[in-house]
Amino acid sequence: MTVKYTEDHEWVRLEGDVAVVGITDYAQTQLGDVVYVELPAVGWKVEKGKEAATVESVKAASEVFAPLTGEVVAVNDELSGEPGQVNSDPMGKGWFLKIRLADPKDFDGLMDEAAYRAFVEGLG
Amino acid sequence: MAAEPLKRTPLYGLHRSLGAKLVPFAGYEMPVHYPAGILAEHLHTRAAAGLFDVSHMGQVRLLGGPVAADLEKLVPGDIQALKPGRMRYTLFTNEAGGILDDLMVTAMEDHLFLIVNAACKEQDFAHLQRHLGKDRVFPQEDRALLALQGPAAAAVLGRLASGVGSMTFMTSASLRLDGIDCLVSRSGYTGEDGFEISVPAGSAERLATRLLAEAEVKPIGLGARDSLRLEAGLCLYGHDLDEKTTVIEADLAWAYGKRRRAEGGFPGTGILARQLTAGASRKRVGILPDGRAPAREHTEIQDLTGATIGEITSGGFGPSVDGPIAMGYVSAAQAVAGTAVSLLVRGTPRPARVVPLPFVPQRYYRG
């Protein structure tokens, strides 16, 4: 199963024509303790680069941008009760939402793991 | 814009070795949190004891002449009534009754010792020098400031000096801690029992290391300091207080001394005396959001018809409350505990209530 990444520190895992989206370990470390996640409604149309969710730490609120264009088909309701899963298991139980991609080929344009790792290292 | 190089406190090296995340704050490179993170640091402080580096704050001694009477020309507090070893919270006011800074004043045998906010200290020193004269105002640049806060603070500090346990809230004493001459006060900014320790800069790291060696003590960053003070209902200058906010609007009339109300004689006396009897048009209150979404600073507060009635000035997540908390200013008519309001978060009105402050019980030691 392929996982790809964005410069906004999201990971995207493709399951058929549905992309599962969350934030990376680097992102959760930078945010610190996550205390609230606001997710869009199922059925919402999201557009690549536009705000899709909000994640809040004790200190601040941060926007999560849609990595690809499509329709939200599921959101992780467990995060409302246990937002700390974003910290403890960012690429597993801490997933945010699932998007049915308007064009699955868009997925190919994201960074692979090596490219993302190099990108993060470049941030110092 | 050419940024000034960031200053460092005497504990900078210790912060680095403890793995702190350092951020710019009031011109200093300060620890926002350590590896434990803000949530754990906050909860640890309420459960045991936390050590904070607050050396960025301004420490200044005022000497000579009738110094208490002279300081009263700048603040609404009763400073002349302070006996040596006692301290008081007060405010520098402007002619409009607005707040230039908030500060702690300690009466020493023959002078006053003040602690002011880091971001305001240069202008505070200039303000004092203008009114008292340059030869009476002595910034203590060679001193660091530590805060030891939490229910275990007294037991911990008692291991370094006898006499700590009998000190009561808002008193101060010169104590030798681990061979270092310090000025210790029983005070703080967390709502917990605890101490603030003014220590010579050259000995600060040794004292901090000594305190951190105690099992109950962990280092705490500015992130948790902010969530702790917000839960305790304490104001943060530049956010909850500023030059356009009066002492009465800020609900700090308790810091407006009884004798001073009768006598006046500080900037803004007329306006504050008037607001004291007639009331101010707006007031600082606690705000408790109903759901889980935090409402941050500058969030608009509306009444249930959608009309704007105020703004959040401090808002976030309270780890001990285990939910979002905030404070802000609302019109006087709505500044009543229990009033239902709406908070406009990301364009959506969300239900909240006006509540009394603090959000957690204060646990000061009053003897």
Side-chain angles (χ1 to χ4, degrees):
Chain A
M1 201 120 40
T2 324
V3 180
K4 294 207 173 205
Y5 300 85
T6 73
E7 291 189 359
D8 295 318
H9 303 286
E10 293 144 317
W11 55 264
V12 185
R13 190 175 68 231
L14 198 61
E15 297 176 350
D17 63 347
V18 171
V20 187
V21 178
I23 66 170
T24 64
D25 188 58
Y26 175 85
Q28 70 81 15
T29 304
Q30 292 297 310
L31 286 170
D33 304 303
V34 171
V35 296
Y36 179 73
V37 179
E38 190 154 284
L39 298 168
V42 170
W44 193 263
K45 299 278 201 299
V46 294
E47 193 181 329
K48 180 177 179 167
K50 296 280 172 64
E51 188 179 336
T54 304
V55 56
E56 303 217 20
S57 67
V58 180
K59 281 299 282 179
S62 307
E63 293 168 339
V64 176
F65 301 104
L68 296 166
T69 298
E71 181 185 336
V72 176
V73 292
V75 296
N76 186 357
D77 288 325
E78 275 189 34
L79 294 183
S80 61
E82 292 185 68
Q85 287 184 345
V86 176
N87 296 114
S88 59
D89 191 10
M91 297 193 62
K93 288 182 173 174
W95 67 277
F96 278 40
L97 50 117
K98 297 184 181 183
I99 303 170
R100 186 179 310 282
L101 298 182
D103 183 355
K105 285 199 294 294
D106 288 347
F107 181 75
D108 301 333
L110 302 177
M111 280 186 279
D112 63 17
E113 190 175 344
Y116 177 67
R117 197 172 293 161
F119 173 71
V120 167
E121 276 167 16
L123 299 175
Chain B
M1 197 171 73
E4 295 257 325
L6 290 172
K7 289 181 274 194
R8 295 172 175 178
T9 77
L11 296 186
Y12 175 81
L14 182 63
H15 299 318
R16 290 289 299 260
S17 70
L18 291 169
K21 181 177 181 186
L22 296 159
V23 298
F25 183 84
Y28 285 80
E29 210 170 343
M30 296 298 289
V32 64
H33 63 76
Y34 297 88
I38 296 175
L39 270 185
E41 291 171 25
H42 176 116
L43 295 171
H44 180 84
T45 303
R46 294 233 189 276
L51 184 70
F52 304 73
D53 177 16
V54 287
S55 304
H56 57 315
M57 299 189 78
Q59 305 181 57
V60 57
R61 290 181 196 275
L62 306 183
L63 277 67
V67 69
D70 287 344
L71 180 61
E72 283 189 353
K73 291 172 187 162
L74 303 178
V75 304
D78 190 342
I79 308 303
Q80 295 187 64
L82 277 182
K83 295 189 176 71
R86 299 261 161 194
M87 62 196 294
R88 183 157 283 171
Y89 173 82
T90 194
L91 309 122
F92 289 126
T93 51
N94 62 24
E95 291 298 337
I99 299 165
L100 299 172
D101 196 7
D102 60 344
L103 66 149
M104 285 288 189
V105 182
T106 304
M108 308 295 287
E109 283 298 336
D110 59 353
H111 67 275
L112 297 175
F113 176 67
L114 276 53
I115 295 181
V116 303
N117 279 301
C120 303
K121 65 181 176 182
E122 297 308 329
Q123 66 210 52
D124 288 346
F125 296 162
H127 185 58
L128 287 164
Q129 284 170 344
R130 222 166 21 245
H131 290 87
L132 274 72
K134 277 199 165 161
D135 56 338
R136 299 175 65 196
V137 179
F138 295 89
Q140 308 284 295
E141 315 266 351
D142 55 349
R143 295 186 79 84
L145 192 65
L146 308 182
L148 183 68
Q149 300 280 298
V156 165
L157 208 60
R159 287 172 211 149
L160 276 69
S162 60
V164 163
S166 60
M167 291 175 70
T168 53
F169 182 57
M170 297 297 268
T171 67
S172 157
S174 294
L175 293 176
R176 182 165 274 244
L177 301 177
D178 205 27
I180 305 161
D181 287 322
C182 298
L183 181 63
V184 177
S185 63
R186 198 151 194 172
S187 55
Y189 195 45
T190 60
E192 297 297 322
D193 182 21
F195 300 85
E196 290 168 302
I197 306 165
S198 173
V199 51
S203 303
E205 182 167 343
R206 183 157 68 86
L207 180 60
T209 304
R210 174 70 186 81
L211 290 168
L212 287 169
E214 297 298 311
E216 301 95 326
V217 184
K218 287 186 176 158
I220 311 297
L222 293 183
R225 182 171 157 85
D226 190 48
S227 55
L228 287 159
R229 70 92 196 165
L230 179 55
E231 282 186 343
L234 301 170
C235 293
L236 176 59
Y237 191 81
H239 301 262
D240 309 302
L241 309 176
D242 59 32
E243 294 180 18
K244 293 194 166 73
T245 302
T246 75
V247 175
I248 305 302
E249 290 169 343
D251 202 21
L252 297 173
W254 56 269
Y256 188 0
K258 198 171 170 187
R259 179 178 58 81
R260 305 303 310 284
R261 295 181 190 190
E263 295 177 5
F266 64 94
T269 299
I271 289 167
L272 294 182
R274 220 162 29 246
Q275 290 189 347
L276 200 56
T277 48
S281 61
R282 64 188 186 120
K283 195 180 151 198
R284 181 174 63 92
V285 293
I287 302 278
L288 189 66
D290 278 357
R292 299 294 297 173
R296 307 284 174 178
E297 185 178 3
H298 301 309
T299 297
E300 184 178 328
I301 307 172
Q302 300 179 336
D303 67 13
L304 298 186
T305 73
T308 304
I309 57 166
E311 190 179 271
I312 298 292
T313 50
S314 284
F317 182 83
S320 302
V321 173
D322 191 24
I325 53 172
M327 62 169 124
Y329 286 80
V330 296
S331 309
Q334 280 97 354
V336 179
T339 302
V341 297
S342 293
L343 305 176
L344 203 61
V345 177
R346 291 182 284 279
T348 311
R350 304 176 195 225
R353 271 170 302 138
V354 174
V355 294
L357 293 169
F359 293 99
V360 297
Q362 292 168 339
R363 300 199 285 181
Y364 305 135
Y365 179 73
R366 298 181 191 272

